[in-house]
Amino acid sequence: MFLRYKNDNTSGSTLPLQEGWIHHVCRTVVSVFLTRGDLWISWEDGLKVFYKYLIDADWSVAAGNWMWVSSSAFERRLDCSKCICPVEFGRRIEPTGDYIRQYVPELANFPQEFIFEPWNAPLALQKEHNCVVGQDYPDRMVDHAQASRINRKMMKSIRNSLKKRPLHCAPSNAEEIKQYLRMPQSCFHHVV
């Protein structure tokens, strides 16, 4: 939904159809959905797609964000208590559905009450708007409530299996910072 593609007949390659950019809030929703929230896909796969298609991709920032959002790193402890529901989040952030209508033309004419969950629209309404789910538009991949419940249990199991819970990822002392930054001796006074 957030990255739409078209076939470039001149080269046979797949190119971004729109801007090659998505809002940071949408990036978070996509990241949670693909990783610990719903699909349990490696954050590295999401990073590759973002890095390939987003024009503002910065490998280090994107990698850090993907690890953080997936709870793979930079967490005081592994915890999946907050799984963003893409449907409810969309309703809350942009309740008119105009964002969906702009980027998902198949749903552009759907009534607002079904724009966020087109699979719940009666078949007659889907036919009326020339968008039958499973035919003209993909059926939903996963039931979020069920998937997030399973994933929370898996995250809890991982957390509980650790002998010592990981601390927040950060340099442990000034000396480690100096070594990491490879600063000359003359600059050390700026670190401590």
Side-chain angles (χ1 to χ4, degrees):
M1 176 162 85
F2 301 102
L3 290 173
R4 302 279 301 182
Y5 307 100
K6 71 175 180 179
N7 186 17
D8 175 3
N9 294 327
T10 59
S11 67
S13 63
T14 303
L15 300 173
L17 179 63
Q18 301 289 338
E19 296 89 2
W21 180 89
I22 57 176
H23 192 277
H24 73 90
V25 172
C26 295
R27 292 174 197 224
T28 300
V29 174
V30 169
S31 301
V32 171
F33 176 77
L34 292 176
T35 61
R36 67 182 168 89
D38 291 86
L39 299 184
W40 205 258
I41 294 172
S42 170
W43 65 268
E44 293 167 313
D45 294 330
L47 172 65
K48 288 175 190 172
V49 171
F50 274 28
Y51 192 62
K52 181 176 181 179
Y53 292 107
L54 296 180
I55 59 175
D56 63 344
D58 176 276
W59 192 89
S60 60
V61 172
N65 285 335
W66 274 94
M67 285 188 282
W68 175 70
V69 170
S70 68
S71 291
S72 299
F74 307 116
E75 290 287 330
R76 192 164 228 22
R77 62 175 196 245
L78 292 171
D79 188 359
C80 190
S81 58
K82 301 282 185 190
C83 290
I84 297 170
C85 175
V87 172
E88 293 308 317
F89 194 79
R91 279 191 179 114
R92 192 177 87 229
I93 297 301
E94 205 286 291
T96 66
D98 289 343
Y99 184 87
I100 293 171
R101 286 183 181 87
Q102 179 179 349
Y103 291 100
V104 187
E106 299 90 341
L107 300 176
N109 297 320
F110 256 54
Q112 186 169 345
E113 70 180 293
F114 295 110
I115 193 88
F116 297 97
E117 297 177 285
W119 53 87
N120 287 336
L123 183 58
L125 189 131
Q126 293 178 34
K127 288 180 179 179
E128 177 185 337
H129 293 287
N130 297 316
C131 183
V132 176
V133 174
Q135 178 183 319
D136 305 306
Y137 181 80
D139 203 354
R140 67 181 177 165
M141 301 170 74
V142 65
D143 179 318
H144 172 75
Q146 181 181 10
S148 63
R149 188 172 41 255
I150 292 167
N151 291 352
R152 277 193 302 273
K153 287 179 183 178
M154 288 192 292
M155 292 295 285
K156 185 176 181 180
S157 174
I158 292 168
R159 184 181 63 228
N160 291 339
S161 71
L162 299 172
K163 292 180 182 178
K164 182 178 178 185
R165 289 187 178 171
L167 298 174
H168 181 70
C169 183
S172 58
N173 56 40
E175 187 56 37
E176 187 177 336
I177 294 170
K178 293 173 192 176
Q179 289 176 5
Y180 177 74
L181 295 176
R182 297 184 181 158
M183 297 174 67
Q185 186 70 31
S186 62
C187 295
F188 281 3
H189 67 281
H190 295 294
V191 174
V192 193

